[in-house]
Amino acid sequence: MRDTHQDLLKQVLLLPLEERAEFASEVLASLDGESDPGAEAAWAVELERRANRVLSGESQGEDWDEVRTRITREVLGQ
């Protein structure tokens, strides 16, 4: 790592946790390139739909341990 990168990293690590998280989020977001407003709008609609299903009682969700076990079996072919 170049000296400037190391200096920047040292400065960032001195920030409070919340500011470091925000900094990291912005750096990671910059790796994605330009955002697609259409995709963001579609995700917003989907999240709203899912939230409404949960709030209305239509969807109960699934237990994470059960989902993780099922996914592990599918991935490992067990």
Side-chain angles (χ1 to χ4, degrees):
M1 202 181 302
R2 292 187 295 221
D3 289 340
T4 54
H5 293 121
Q6 289 179 340
D7 291 341
L8 179 58
L9 178 60
K10 287 177 186 176
Q11 290 177 7
V12 169
L13 293 176
L14 293 174
L15 295 171
L17 178 62
E18 187 173 310
E19 290 181 34
R20 285 195 323 266
E22 184 177 339
F23 184 89
S25 175
E26 290 183 26
V27 170
L28 289 173
S30 74
L31 298 176
D32 290 337
E34 286 190 38
S35 64
D36 178 356
E40 289 181 21
W43 270 113
V45 168
E46 178 64 14
L47 291 172
E48 185 73 22
R49 183 188 71 79
R50 292 181 187 196
N52 286 333
R53 289 187 64 210
V54 170
L55 293 172
S56 72
E58 181 182 347
S59 175
Q60 299 299 317
E62 296 182 58
D63 180 72
W64 170 240
D65 289 330
E66 292 174 15
V67 171
R68 182 176 49 212
T69 299
R70 185 178 72 237
I71 291 170
T72 301
R73 285 183 183 149
E74 290 174 8
V75 169
L76 298 178
Q78 298 177 349

